[in-house]
Amino acid sequence: TKTCMKRQAASGHEIIDAQTYADWEIDYLKEDSCNAPGDAKSAFEEYGRMRDALNSTGRPIVFSLCGWHEWYAPPLPRLNYTGGGSMGNLARIGPDNDTWERVLTNADTM
């Protein structure tokens, strides 16, 4: 997939990218879902690959998810998904907070 700026993304390169971040002593990684699959199962698989790759480096790296669907945060038993906390350390599930309306949207989503 591509980044939000339409540049090459980590999909398919999670292991080497995660190890590179660890070698560079990166502490925080935000993975956005601008071009991620629109279905929960595929999106969870993609995030899971990066989560597992980061965890395999042995370096503690905060993994922040940014999903645009409300199904990123709550548990979904039918997919054996226990919620955003099982996928990363932080989970954002709403729009940028650049207006009060969006702040309220994000608060209402939670």
Side-chain angles (χ1 to χ4, degrees):
T1 62
K2 303 259 185 221
T3 67
C4 297
M5 298 302 295
K6 309 290 186 228
R7 296 174 193 229
Q8 185 63 38
S11 185
H13 307 279
E14 291 87 356
I15 293 171
I16 193 165
D17 284 358
Q19 188 57 57
T20 300
Y21 300 145
D23 292 345
W24 289 346
E25 299 182 353
I26 298 295
D27 297 317
Y28 180 94
L29 176 66
K30 176 187 174 240
E31 187 166 298
D32 213 314
S33 65
C34 291
N35 295 295
D39 67 286
K41 183 178 185 304
S42 298
F44 297 156
E45 288 171 358
E46 280 192 5
Y47 279 127
R49 285 193 297 270
M50 182 55 82
R51 175 206 56 212
D52 294 346
L54 290 170
N55 288 341
S56 74
T57 69
R59 178 175 177 76
I61 299 173
V62 174
F63 186 39
S64 176
L65 313 178
C66 182
W68 301 109
H69 300 282
E70 64 276 359
W71 42 254
Y72 277 102
L76 292 175
R78 67 182 169 77
L79 294 177
N80 197 27
Y81 178 62
T82 58
S86 68
M87 198 59 58
N89 306 101
L90 305 168
R92 174 184 157 188
I93 59 167
D96 292 338
N97 288 329
D98 56 358
T99 66
W100 281 112
E101 181 180 357
R102 287 181 168 195
V103 171
L104 291 173
T105 297
N106 285 329
D108 289 343
T109 301
M110 297 308 286

